[in-house]
Every structure is written in structure tokens, then in C-alpha cells.
Amino acid sequence: MKPKFVVTGGAGFIGSAVVRALLAEGADRVAVVDNLSSGYLANLEQVQDRVETHVADIRDYDELLDIFTGARFVWHLAAIPSVPRSIADPLPSHDVNINGTFSVLRAAHDAKVERVVYAASSSAYGDTLVLPKIETMTPHPKSPYALQKLVGEYYCNLFTENFGLETVALRFFNVYGPRQDPSSAYSGILSLFMKHLLARTSPTLFGDGNQSRDFTYVEDVAALCLKAARTPGVAGRMYNAGNGGRYTLNEIWAMLQQMEGVSLPPHYGPPRAGDVRDSQADTTAAVTELGHAPRFTMEQGLRETLAWYRNAMV
Ligand code: UD1
């Protein structure tokens, strides 16, 4: 029997957390679609006997149709992430994030999948005058990545309205935690902080370091992904997937130095193009309509993450 659950980008940092959450909840098997462009099979090592891995590109409709046939839910997390990468080289992310998402939705529709949960991005809001950011605000994407993710949201809604495929889009807010890859110039800031902290080197903050983010622990996001698939009556909707808090980079780096008992003043560099200044989620809709219940405070999440990197980097 083919798995009922499919995760695109399932070998990635967030996708593999969704796979683990599904298996922990009792799923027999989960299918993963990943071209390993930024994912790693090692992320699925502990659960590999219950994972069916397809090394495939999401732009390959025929392959997706075959994998999706018989599936109930698809979590679509495969993407080329990163705001600065999309500015440095917009074509690949345009193709994968927009055409790939279209291909996933088309294949899910044709395979008669019950619902697709789509990883959207908080970057779609851009700089808003008011915080926290709420779903009813007009989007102002500031980078190709932000726009691409927004187009994916609109496509999800269109597939629900025009073609009857149930979709739910979740705007992720700066997800962090174990397995986030710190090896690239485009890596998420908290993975870079972990690497620097353990190597006892100073990170470079772009701008004054007072830009703020709603850092959200990966297990909380994965739990919400599962709820978004199962909640009735929300097809076609978009929800913020954040923690609801807001910390500056300077604050987080100070907390981490304190945890380790070290003093490593950061370097400061020029601001980064396409960067949003402040980001914080209004989580009311996700809490009341999907049952979102983040469990990790910033400090707990940082401690868990630090412990994982300490272990992984020896
Ligand atoms: C953005 C999106 C997020 C999305 C992610 C995908 C916003 C508000 N959020 O995250 O929803 O999932 O892209 O990649 O747009 N920084 C440094 N030094 C470094 C690296 C980064 O100071 O070496 C700064 C950046 O300039 C930025 C902050 O850290 O201000 C966070 O950057 P990053 O982790 O790349 O994520 P966002 O671009 O915020």
C-alpha cells in the first residue's frame, strides 16, 4: 500500500520535522519527495525504515502524479528558500517556488488528494506600519522570494476556489531548531548563531542588529502543519504560523552568549537588500481556528537547539 501522507521537501530542516511528527503520531509510513538540493537524507536517518524517499523534482508533474495517487494529504514544503538568494539569483527560485508549486497543486488535484498544506512565508507582509502582522493586512513583498511564496498562496486559494482541491497555506515566521543547515551564506540566522557560538567566533549582523523576528521553534511549526491538514472547514485559507513573540538579533545573541558564559561582541555590516525590519505574528486565527499551541519559549527553543548543535558538531 502506498503511504497516505506525502511531504515535499521532506529531507529538509522543516520537512523532516513534519515527517517525524507524522510518524510519532502513529502514521505507518510517509512518502518524501525531495531533490536533495538543500535537504539531506541524514535528516531522516532515525526514521528511514518508515520513510519512502523519492529523489524527485517538484516540477516533474508525471512523477508527482504517480507518488500522490492514493495519498490523503500532501504537505508542500519543497522550495528554494532565502530572501538574499532570490535577489542574487532570481531565476531558479522563481522556477521552483512558482512553477514547482503549480505542478504540486495540479498533481494533487489530478491524484484526488484530499488536502494540500502549503509552506508560505511571513516575508509576504514586507514592512508593515503595525505589529503584530495579521492575515488581513495587504501584502508588500520586498524580494523575489517573498513574492514567489505569495504567488504560491494565491495559487492554493485558486485551486480551492476553481478546482475544488482543499488547500491551507501557513505563513512560517523564521523557523529555527535542530537540523537547520548552517553551512551556506544563505543559512538562517539562528543556525549561524549556533555555529559561531560553539566555535567561539563572532557573527556578523547586517545593519544595527536591532531588526526583530518572531522566531518559531520547528516542532511547534510541524505540529501546526498536522493540524492544518485535519481541521475541517478551513480550505482555501491562509494562517500565520508564528510563535507570537519578537526578539532582535542583538537580544538573541546576548541570550546565547549568556547561556554559554562567553563574551563575543558581534561584527556589524551593511544592511541586507530585501530585508524586512520587524516581524511578529498575530497568532489569534491559527490558535482559535486550527488549535495552534506553541510549546517552546524562546529560551527553551534556544537551549534545545544549542544542545543539538553541540552534539552534532563534535
Ligand atoms: C525570511 C522570511 C521567512 C522565511 C525565510 C526563508 C521575513 C521576515 N522572514 O527570513 O519567513 O522563511 O526568509 O529563508 O522576511 N542576518 C544577519 N547576519 C547573517 C545572516 C542574516 O544579520 O549572517 C540577518 C538578516 O539580515 C535578517 C535576519 O538576520 O535581518 C534574519 O535573516 P534570515 O535568517 O536569513 O531570515 P529572514 O530573511 O528574516
Side-chain angles (χ1 to χ4, degrees), residues 261-276:
V262 294
S263 174
L264 297 162
H267 306 298
Y268 291 92
R272 197 171 77 176
D275 233 18
V276 167

Side-chain angles (χ1 to χ4, degrees), residues 122-123 125-133 142 173-174 208-214 245-249 275-281:
S122 61
S123 58
Y125 286 110
D127 287 314
T128 59
L129 290 174
V130 176
L131 293 173
K133 303 183 185 199
K142 287 181 71 177
F173 280 70
N174 292 74
D208 61 7
N210 285 327
Q211 62 268 53
S212 62
R213 293 290 184 268
D214 184 346
R246 182 164 76 92
Y247 292 86
T248 69
L249 301 187
D275 233 18
V276 167
R277 178 73 186 173
D278 299 302
S279 183
Q280 182 180 16

Side-chain angles (χ1 to χ4, degrees), residues 180-217:
Q180 190 167 24
D181 178 10
S183 69
S184 139
Y186 301 127
S187 295
I189 186 65
L190 284 199
S191 70
L192 297 173
F193 275 0
M194 295 297 158
K195 191 173 85 171
H196 282 290
L197 188 63
L198 292 170
R200 302 291 190 253
T201 53
S202 295
T204 298
L205 304 185
F206 301 139
D208 61 7
N210 285 327
Q211 62 268 53
S212 62
R213 293 290 184 268
D214 184 346
F215 291 106
T216 309
Y217 193 65

Side-chain angles (χ1 to χ4, degrees), residues 59-302:
R59 289 163 294 181
D60 187 341
Y61 165 86
D62 292 329
E63 190 142 13
L64 290 186
L65 183 63
D66 185 42
I67 298 164
F68 289 178
T69 299
R72 190 171 169 213
F73 298 132
V74 171
W75 286 266
H76 173 37
L77 284 86
I80 296 186
S82 171
V83 166
R85 189 200 306 245
S86 77
I87 293 175
D89 192 14
L91 188 59
S93 61
H94 178 94
D95 195 23
V96 167
N97 297 345
I98 295 184
N99 294 331
T101 294
F102 180 72
S103 158
V104 166
L105 292 171
R106 201 161 67 90
H109 170 266
D110 295 350
K112 300 190 171 38
V113 164
E114 199 173 304
R115 186 176 288 183
V116 174
V117 176
Y118 167 67
S121 170
S122 61
S123 58
Y125 286 110
D127 287 314
T128 59
L129 290 174
V130 176
L131 293 173
K133 303 183 185 199
I134 189 162
E135 290 87 341
T136 48
M137 285 174 171
T138 305
H140 288 290
K142 287 181 71 177
S143 63
Y145 174 77
L147 178 64
Q148 293 153 12
K149 280 284 164 184
L150 182 62
V151 171
E153 266 180 39
Y154 288 155
Y155 257 130
C156 284
N157 180 269
L158 273 182
F159 266 79
T160 300
E161 298 294 325
N162 294 354
F163 307 122
L165 170 68
E166 291 201 359
T167 61
V168 176
L170 297 176
R171 280 190 184 169
F172 293 175
F173 280 70
N174 292 74
V175 184
Y176 74 101
R179 297 179 184 79
Q180 190 167 24
D181 178 10
S183 69
S184 139
Y186 301 127
S187 295
I189 186 65
L190 284 199
S191 70
L192 297 173
F193 275 0
M194 295 297 158
K195 191 173 85 171
H196 282 290
L197 188 63
L198 292 170
R200 302 291 190 253
T201 53
S202 295
T204 298
L205 304 185
F206 301 139
D208 61 7
N210 285 327
Q211 62 268 53
S212 62
R213 293 290 184 268
D214 184 346
F215 291 106
T216 309
Y217 193 65
V218 65
E219 284 181 28
D220 286 334
V221 169
L224 182 60
C225 285
L226 268 50
K227 289 174 177 168
R230 302 210 165 101
T231 307
V234 295
R237 299 281 311 276
M238 175 275 285
Y239 294 90
N240 285 342
N243 189 286
R246 182 164 76 92
Y247 292 86
T248 69
L249 301 187
N250 285 322
E251 285 170 339
I252 298 284
W253 183 243
M255 284 167 80
L256 287 171
Q257 289 173 88
Q258 201 180 24
M259 281 178 195
E260 280 291 277
V262 294
S263 174
L264 297 162
H267 306 298
Y268 291 92
R272 197 171 77 176
D275 233 18
V276 167
R277 178 73 186 173
D278 299 302
S279 183
Q280 182 180 16
D282 183 318
T283 58
T284 311
V287 168
T288 57
E289 294 177 32
L290 301 179
H292 182 37
R295 294 190 304 124
F296 289 84
T297 63
M298 190 78 236
E299 186 175 334
Q300 285 169 327
L302 288 178

